[in-house]
Structures are given as structure tokens and as C-alpha cells.
Amino acid sequence: MEGYDAIGSDEGKLGHVVEVDGDFVIVEEGHLRKKRYAIPTAFAHADDGEQVVRLTVSKSLVEDSPALKGGELDRRAVAEHYGLAEGYTAPETEGYGELTPDDPAISAEQEGLRAGVEPAAQQRVASRQGQETGVRGRQIIPPDSHDPL
């Protein structure tokens, strides 16, 4: 595979294969300002008859991937770019969404209390009891003139 030309799914020529590093094909592009890109072998298929490596990803996707710097391959960054990295684990909570005091998650009600907003449950109680809830303005529906007060 080394020395073969690399061609993207959009028929754009990327450069040539300089090495195979485990699960990655390393492609070098450019003449004076050379850049090296790692492409997972899952997206590379060698055609020995034509001496090319056909990719199932586009040239622009490869060019947007993290370039190798100093010959170092950041396997995690490349895998994330191509959507092959494992997902991050969610922070632990107790039970089904129950928050603990040291839990970094915060509920909408707690956030509202921090911002000084009265919780919805207290607003409903206040409106049922006929108390002022802090909402000011004119009455939207005019009173019925036939309704004895």
C-alpha cells in the first residue's frame, strides 16, 4: 500500500501513502509544505491493479482532520474526527436523576432559585389563594357586566 496514491470518495487526489501505522493509513500531501494525515483503515481500500488507495470519505473531510505534528499521531483526536471514538461516560448520579449534594448536575428549579425566580409550584399556590405573584399589567379579559360580584 505504501507509495500508492490516495483518492477520496469525491475523486479528489489527496497525496500518497507513506506508511501504515496499525489501524491508520498515513497519507502525505504537498510538495514544499508537506502535511500528513491519518485515515482509519476502515475507510481505505487498496486497489493493487491501479496502485491506488480509494477512500470512502471525501478529500475535504481528510483535510479537515488533525494533521500529524512532528510525526506524532493523536489516535484519539483522529478517531473522534471520523466518528470512531468511544463516547464519554456521563457523570454519576444516584438513582434515577436524584441529585446528591456533591453532584455537579443542577435542576431547573435550583437554577431558578439561584436567579431569584419563584418556583412554579409556589406561583400556582399564590394564584389560587388570590395573592399577588409579582405579575403587573392590565387585565386582559374585561369583566362580564352581567356577572354579579
Side-chain angles (χ1 to χ4, degrees), residues 68-81:
L68 277 71
K69 295 183 181 173
E72 294 295 317
L73 171 61
D74 185 356
R75 294 176 185 279
R76 174 118 181 134
V78 173
E80 284 177 357
H81 176 75

PDB file of all heavy atoms in Angstrom, residues 68-81:
ATOM      1  N   LEU A  68      -0.743  15.291  11.459  1.00  0.00           N
ATOM      2  CA  LEU A  68       0.317  14.776  12.310  1.00  0.00           C
ATOM      3  C   LEU A  68       1.336  15.882  12.515  1.00  0.00           C
ATOM      4  O   LEU A  68       1.757  16.534  11.561  1.00  0.00           O
ATOM      5  CB  LEU A  68       0.995  13.571  11.661  1.00  0.00           C
ATOM      6  CG  LEU A  68       0.307  12.229  11.848  1.00  0.00           C
ATOM      7  CD1 LEU A  68      -0.966  12.145  11.071  1.00  0.00           C
ATOM      8  CD2 LEU A  68       1.228  11.125  11.461  1.00  0.00           C
ATOM      9  N   LYS A  69       1.711  16.116  13.744  1.00  0.00           N
ATOM     10  CA  LYS A  69       2.685  17.163  14.053  1.00  0.00           C
ATOM     11  C   LYS A  69       3.922  16.510  14.632  1.00  0.00           C
ATOM     12  O   LYS A  69       3.845  15.810  15.633  1.00  0.00           O
ATOM     13  CB  LYS A  69       2.091  18.180  15.021  1.00  0.00           C
ATOM     14  CG  LYS A  69       0.941  18.942  14.400  1.00  0.00           C
ATOM     15  CD  LYS A  69       0.414  19.991  15.328  1.00  0.00           C
ATOM     16  CE  LYS A  69      -0.747  20.685  14.634  1.00  0.00           C
ATOM     17  NZ  LYS A  69      -1.432  21.600  15.501  1.00  0.00           N
ATOM     18  N   GLY A  70       5.037  16.743  13.982  1.00  0.00           N
ATOM     19  CA  GLY A  70       6.282  16.140  14.461  1.00  0.00           C
ATOM     20  C   GLY A  70       6.277  14.630  14.339  1.00  0.00           C
ATOM     21  O   GLY A  70       6.965  13.953  15.086  1.00  0.00           O
ATOM     22  N   GLY A  71       5.479  14.106  13.449  1.00  0.00           N
ATOM     23  CA  GLY A  71       5.401  12.664  13.265  1.00  0.00           C
ATOM     24  C   GLY A  71       4.569  11.954  14.304  1.00  0.00           C
ATOM     25  O   GLY A  71       4.458  10.732  14.288  1.00  0.00           O
ATOM     26  N   GLU A  72       3.968  12.708  15.233  1.00  0.00           N
ATOM     27  CA  GLU A  72       3.163  12.121  16.295  1.00  0.00           C
ATOM     28  C   GLU A  72       1.703  12.000  15.858  1.00  0.00           C
ATOM     29  O   GLU A  72       1.123  12.947  15.342  1.00  0.00           O
ATOM     30  CB  GLU A  72       3.245  12.968  17.561  1.00  0.00           C
ATOM     31  CG  GLU A  72       4.617  12.985  18.193  1.00  0.00           C
ATOM     32  CD  GLU A  72       5.047  11.613  18.702  1.00  0.00           C
ATOM     33  OE1 GLU A  72       4.214  10.912  19.311  1.00  0.00           O
ATOM     34  OE2 GLU A  72       6.214  11.254  18.480  1.00  0.00           O
ATOM     35  N   LEU A  73       1.125  10.852  16.112  1.00  0.00           N
ATOM     36  CA  LEU A  73      -0.257  10.566  15.760  1.00  0.00           C
ATOM     37  C   LEU A  73      -1.112  10.587  17.020  1.00  0.00           C
ATOM     38  O   LEU A  73      -0.876   9.804  17.938  1.00  0.00           O
ATOM     39  CB  LEU A  73      -0.343   9.191  15.078  1.00  0.00           C
ATOM     40  CG  LEU A  73      -1.717   8.596  14.819  1.00  0.00           C
ATOM     41  CD1 LEU A  73      -2.523   9.491  13.900  1.00  0.00           C
ATOM     42  CD2 LEU A  73      -1.588   7.215  14.215  1.00  0.00           C
ATOM     43  N   ASP A  74      -2.067  11.503  17.072  1.00  0.00           N
ATOM     44  CA  ASP A  74      -3.014  11.552  18.190  1.00  0.00           C
ATOM     45  C   ASP A  74      -4.204  10.678  17.799  1.00  0.00           C
ATOM     46  O   ASP A  74      -5.141  11.117  17.145  1.00  0.00           O
ATOM     47  CB  ASP A  74      -3.447  12.994  18.448  1.00  0.00           C
ATOM     48  CG  ASP A  74      -4.340  13.126  19.671  1.00  0.00           C
ATOM     49  OD1 ASP A  74      -4.690  12.086  20.277  1.00  0.00           O
ATOM     50  OD2 ASP A  74      -4.692  14.271  20.015  1.00  0.00           O
ATOM     51  N   ARG A  75      -4.132   9.424  18.181  1.00  0.00           N
ATOM     52  CA  ARG A  75      -5.133   8.439  17.765  1.00  0.00           C
ATOM     53  C   ARG A  75      -6.544   8.810  18.215  1.00  0.00           C
ATOM     54  O   ARG A  75      -7.492   8.651  17.473  1.00  0.00           O
ATOM     55  CB  ARG A  75      -4.761   7.058  18.306  1.00  0.00           C
ATOM     56  CG  ARG A  75      -3.488   6.523  17.711  1.00  0.00           C
ATOM     57  CD  ARG A  75      -3.078   5.187  18.327  1.00  0.00           C
ATOM     58  NE  ARG A  75      -1.802   4.752  17.829  1.00  0.00           N
ATOM     59  CZ  ARG A  75      -1.620   4.143  16.663  1.00  0.00           C
ATOM     60  NH1 ARG A  75      -2.641   3.903  15.883  1.00  0.00           N
ATOM     61  NH2 ARG A  75      -0.418   3.783  16.276  1.00  0.00           N
ATOM     62  N   ARG A  76      -6.664   9.333  19.421  1.00  0.00           N
ATOM     63  CA  ARG A  76      -7.989   9.693  19.943  1.00  0.00           C
ATOM     64  C   ARG A  76      -8.598  10.832  19.131  1.00  0.00           C
ATOM     65  O   ARG A  76      -9.758  10.779  18.764  1.00  0.00           O
ATOM     66  CB  ARG A  76      -7.879  10.082  21.415  1.00  0.00           C
ATOM     67  CG  ARG A  76      -9.162  10.603  21.991  1.00  0.00           C
ATOM     68  CD  ARG A  76      -9.641   9.731  23.093  1.00  0.00           C
ATOM     69  NE  ARG A  76     -10.894  10.233  23.619  1.00  0.00           N
ATOM     70  CZ  ARG A  76     -11.909   9.481  23.856  1.00  0.00           C
ATOM     71  NH1 ARG A  76     -11.823   8.193  23.656  1.00  0.00           N
ATOM     72  NH2 ARG A  76     -13.015   9.978  24.331  1.00  0.00           N
ATOM     73  N   ALA A  77      -7.812  11.869  18.839  1.00  0.00           N
ATOM     74  CA  ALA A  77      -8.325  13.017  18.081  1.00  0.00           C
ATOM     75  C   ALA A  77      -8.748  12.598  16.672  1.00  0.00           C
ATOM     76  O   ALA A  77      -9.783  13.040  16.174  1.00  0.00           O
ATOM     77  CB  ALA A  77      -7.271  14.121  18.015  1.00  0.00           C
ATOM     78  N   VAL A  78      -7.959  11.741  16.048  1.00  0.00           N
ATOM     79  CA  VAL A  78      -8.298  11.276  14.693  1.00  0.00           C
ATOM     80  C   VAL A  78      -9.563  10.419  14.738  1.00  0.00           C
ATOM     81  O   VAL A  78     -10.465  10.580  13.912  1.00  0.00           O
ATOM     82  CB  VAL A  78      -7.115  10.504  14.068  1.00  0.00           C
ATOM     83  CG1 VAL A  78      -7.518   9.866  12.750  1.00  0.00           C
ATOM     84  CG2 VAL A  78      -5.925  11.429  13.867  1.00  0.00           C
ATOM     85  N   ALA A  79      -9.654   9.531  15.711  1.00  0.00           N
ATOM     86  CA  ALA A  79     -10.842   8.673  15.826  1.00  0.00           C
ATOM     87  C   ALA A  79     -12.089   9.507  16.103  1.00  0.00           C
ATOM     88  O   ALA A  79     -13.157   9.242  15.547  1.00  0.00           O
ATOM     89  CB  ALA A  79     -10.641   7.638  16.926  1.00  0.00           C
ATOM     90  N   GLU A  80     -11.973  10.557  16.938  1.00  0.00           N
ATOM     91  CA  GLU A  80     -13.115  11.441  17.202  1.00  0.00           C
ATOM     92  C   GLU A  80     -13.533  12.171  15.937  1.00  0.00           C
ATOM     93  O   GLU A  80     -14.717  12.336  15.669  1.00  0.00           O
ATOM     94  CB  GLU A  80     -12.763  12.457  18.289  1.00  0.00           C
ATOM     95  CG  GLU A  80     -12.769  11.886  19.671  1.00  0.00           C
ATOM     96  CD  GLU A  80     -12.350  12.907  20.729  1.00  0.00           C
ATOM     97  OE1 GLU A  80     -12.003  14.054  20.367  1.00  0.00           O
ATOM     98  OE2 GLU A  80     -12.366  12.549  21.911  1.00  0.00           O
ATOM     99  N   HIS A  81     -12.550  12.615  15.157  1.00  0.00           N
ATOM    100  CA  HIS A  81     -12.861  13.348  13.921  1.00  0.00           C
ATOM    101  C   HIS A  81     -13.679  12.487  12.957  1.00  0.00           C
ATOM    102  O   HIS A  81     -14.614  12.966  12.331  1.00  0.00           O
ATOM    103  CB  HIS A  81     -11.570  13.812  13.246  1.00  0.00           C
ATOM    104  CG  HIS A  81     -11.802  14.487  11.938  1.00  0.00           C
ATOM    105  ND1 HIS A  81     -12.285  15.770  11.848  1.00  0.00           N
ATOM    106  CD2 HIS A  81     -11.655  14.054  10.659  1.00  0.00           C
ATOM    107  CE1 HIS A  81     -12.413  16.103  10.576  1.00  0.00           C
ATOM    108  NE2 HIS A  81     -12.038  15.081   9.834  1.00  0.00           N
TER     109      HIS A  81
END
